Amino acid sequence: MQVKYAMSSPPASVSPEATLEEAARHMADAGVGALPVVDGDRVIGMITDRDLVVRAMAHGLSSRLRVEQVMSGDPVTVAADTPVPAALHAMRSATVRHLPVTDDGRLVGMLSLDDLLSYLSAQLGELIAVVDAVRKAAHSSRTR
């Protein structure tokens, strides 16, 4: 299966000119822990709740500081048609919990580790239902 079936869309995002306070408020309003930083519709960075705490607040930086001064630049992204296992591998390799999803370089969604776990759990549930149906059919044919 592909990332486009597990991602959250439309994605919340923030501009590099936004303040850290605006980014934090946007995260809270959207109920997310990370925001892609976009210039137009191109992803140029990521800012996470951890960045706000560890990179900014822990060092006494002003909440009026611009996102571009704290964000991680050049983030790992995945295409919407990327297979889910490849996206999981990308997360693990980059040690990140959120990936911007792009289509021709344009931001179209976000994929979080939570999204993947929910998606994979649903897939596992469907697989269990199929296995149970096959077992019942096999048991029924043997008792006839």
Side-chain angles (χ1 to χ4, degrees):
M1 294 305 265
Q2 298 173 326
V3 164
K4 63 185 168 188
Y5 299 113
M7 71 181 189
S8 298
S9 184
S13 63
V14 67
S15 76
E17 295 83 20
T19 66
L20 298 180
E21 181 179 354
E22 290 168 336
R25 192 170 296 121
H26 195 42
M27 280 183 202
D29 291 346
V32 297
L35 294 171
V37 181
V38 295
D39 185 10
D41 57 2
R42 302 288 178 196
V43 179
I44 62 168
M46 285 288 292
I47 185 123
T48 67
D49 49 6
R50 182 170 168 78
D51 293 332
L52 294 173
V53 172
V54 175
R55 290 185 180 176
M57 291 175 57
H59 294 282
L61 299 179
S62 169
S63 63
R64 301 265 180 235
L65 206 61
R66 290 166 52 140
V67 164
E68 65 189 349
Q69 295 175 279
V70 177
M71 72 180 193
S72 297
D74 197 26
V76 173
T77 64
V78 293
D81 61 355
T82 300
V84 167
L88 184 56
H89 177 73
M91 280 183 175
R92 291 178 64 202
S93 296
T95 61
V96 297
R97 297 176 55 88
H98 304 88
L99 292 174
V101 180
T102 59
D103 186 14
D104 291 327
R106 184 177 52 84
L107 180 65
V108 294
M110 276 293 287
L111 183 68
S112 71
L113 190 55
D114 289 347
D115 292 332
L116 281 176
L117 290 174
S118 293
Y119 174 76
L120 293 172
S121 293
Q123 293 291 28
L124 185 57
E126 290 178 21
L127 180 59
I128 289 169
V130 168
V131 169
D132 284 345
V134 169
R135 284 183 180 160
K136 286 178 184 173
H139 178 71
S140 176
S141 69
R142 279 185 268 157
T143 59
R144 287 185 187 168

